[in-house]
């Protein structure tokens, strides 16, 4: 067995252990909640209904949950794509121009920490529709981490890579797609991952304000009527969707950044 095969088998073994550990924690959490609710009633049955209430409510509301998911994804997917594209494009453009970066970085550092949720009242007041106001808030929440991680990735490029590119007379698009983007890809994916997680938080918050459909609206609507079985069912459903999406993202990231798996 050569070293590469050994490292691959070791990585597979570590992944199996991680999956087993996560599965055990998941099962223990489900059982603990069942003990605290259905079996002993130690938790408030109104605020924390047991699985005997949550699961039937989820089945009964499955059509409504999937309609809300479709509405949420219709808002989330194009906004995510636009924010990721804009963040990477602007990050590469500015990162390759040291003077522009020197001028703009203080502005970026001042604007980046502002929570997008603080801008929700202005977005609703200024933009003509709820869809646009929600999209603007999500866009800002994803754009900043992608932009800053791209700038960091471009700044961290090995100088010898750029020297070799100049020797090969690479410039323009060839330089960007063959050297800049591959070299900055680990940091870019890190920013996309952070933005992706943050986007679900912003999506839910935005839908709680003025939406007439979506996952955030579903949770808020039934919370107003104290139907906490549906509320917890909606939260669990959204958590499962986020888990699946993040698993797909991690798989895509591992496939594209396959050379980093050896570290």
């Amino acid at each position: 067995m050569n070293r590469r095969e050994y490292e691959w088998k070791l990585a597979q073994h570590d992944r199996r252990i991680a999956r087993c550990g996560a599965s055990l924690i998941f099962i223990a959490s489900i059982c603990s909640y069942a003990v605290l609710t259905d079996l002993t009633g130690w938790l408030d049955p109104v605020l924390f209904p047991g699985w005997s209430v949550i699961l039937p409510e989820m089945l009964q509301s499955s059509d409504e949950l999937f309609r809300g998911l479709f509405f949420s994804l219709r808002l989330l997917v194009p906004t995510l794509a636009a924010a990721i594209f804009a963040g990477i494009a602007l990050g590469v453009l500015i990162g390759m121009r040291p003077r522009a970066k020197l001028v703009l970085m203080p502005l970026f550092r001042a604007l980046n920490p502002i929570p997008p949720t603080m801008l929700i009242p202005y977005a609703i007041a200024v933009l003509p529709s709820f869809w646009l106001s929600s999209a603007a808030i999500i866009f800002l929440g994803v754009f900043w981490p992608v932009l800053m991680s791209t700038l960091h990735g471009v700044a961290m490029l090995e100088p010898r890579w750029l020297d070799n590119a100049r020797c090969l007379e690479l410039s323009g698009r060839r330089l960007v797609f063959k050297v800049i983007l591959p070299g900055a890809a680990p940091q870019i994916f890190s920013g996309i991952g952070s933005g992706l997680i943050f986007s679900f938080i912003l999506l839910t918050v935005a839908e709680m304000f003025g939406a007439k459909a979506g996952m955030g609206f579903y949770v808020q609507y039934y919370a107003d009527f104290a139907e906490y079985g549906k509320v917890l069912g909606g939260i669990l459903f959204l958590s499962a969707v986020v888990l699946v999406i993040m698993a797909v993202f991690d798989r895509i990231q591992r496939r594209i950044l396959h050379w980093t798996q050896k570290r």
Side-chain angles (χ1 to χ4, degrees):
M1 180 187 301
N2 58 38
R3 182 171 180 175
R4 181 174 295 181
E5 291 177 348
Y6 173 76
E7 290 177 348
W8 182 81
K9 288 188 176 182
L10 185 62
Q12 292 295 107
H13 177 68
D14 291 342
R15 287 197 188 105
R16 282 195 293 268
I17 292 177
R19 287 169 186 161
C20 289
S23 300
L24 289 175
I25 293 174
F26 179 71
I27 293 171
S29 300
I30 292 176
C31 294
S32 299
Y33 189 80
V35 170
L36 294 173
T37 54
D38 289 322
L39 296 181
T40 63
W42 287 347
L43 295 178
D44 187 338
V46 176
L47 290 175
F48 301 100
W51 295 117
S52 60
V53 176
I54 295 173
L55 295 179
E57 291 284 10
M58 288 182 70
L59 290 174
Q60 181 182 353
S61 304
S62 59
D63 290 343
E64 192 174 357
L65 286 170
F66 279 104
R67 282 197 303 271
L69 175 62
F70 175 75
F71 182 88
S72 296
L73 291 180
R74 219 172 41 166
L75 169 63
L76 185 65
V77 171
T79 308
L80 266 176
I84 291 171
F85 176 80
I88 294 175
L90 192 59
V92 170
L93 184 66
I94 296 173
M96 293 175 63
R97 290 165 172 79
R99 291 182 180 177
K101 182 180 176 182
L102 188 64
V103 172
L104 293 174
M105 278 305 292
L107 178 63
F108 292 163
R109 290 195 179 102
L111 295 177
N112 182 31
I114 299 176
T117 50
M118 292 180 61
L119 303 176
I120 289 178
Y122 290 97
I124 294 175
V126 172
L127 296 173
S129 68
F130 164 78
W131 194 95
L132 285 175
S133 59
S134 299
I137 297 302
I138 297 170
F139 179 92
L140 290 175
V142 178
F143 171 77
W144 284 117
V146 174
L147 173 65
M148 299 306 289
S149 63
T150 303
L151 288 171
H152 179 68
V154 174
M156 294 296 290
L157 285 173
E158 291 282 350
R160 57 189 174 86
W161 295 353
L162 298 176
D163 292 338
N164 292 336
R166 292 190 191 99
C167 292
L168 295 172
E169 298 183 352
L170 292 179
S171 62
R173 293 181 181 178
R174 294 180 64 196
L175 177 64
V176 170
F177 287 102
K178 291 185 178 293
V179 179
I180 304 294
L181 286 179
Q187 287 79 17
I188 292 174
F189 270 96
S190 176
I192 293 174
S194 300
L196 187 59
I197 294 172
F198 196 29
S199 69
F200 287 103
I201 299 173
L202 293 173
L203 172 71
T204 306
V205 172
E207 288 179 340
M208 285 181 174
F209 274 85
K212 296 182 180 179
M215 295 306 305
F217 169 80
Y218 177 92
V219 172
Q220 183 63 51
Y221 178 81
Y222 286 108
D224 291 341
F225 291 96
E227 295 190 34
Y228 291 103
K230 292 184 182 293
V231 170
L232 290 177
I235 293 172
L236 291 173
F237 181 77
L238 180 59
S239 299
V241 170
V242 173
L243 185 63
V244 170
I245 291 175
M246 293 307 300
V248 172
F249 172 77
D250 288 341
R251 183 175 290 272
I252 294 172
Q253 181 178 5
R254 284 198 302 268
R255 183 171 291 266
I256 294 177
L257 304 180
H258 56 86
W259 71 90
T260 62
Q261 303 306 312
K262 298 179 182 179
R263 299 177 183 175

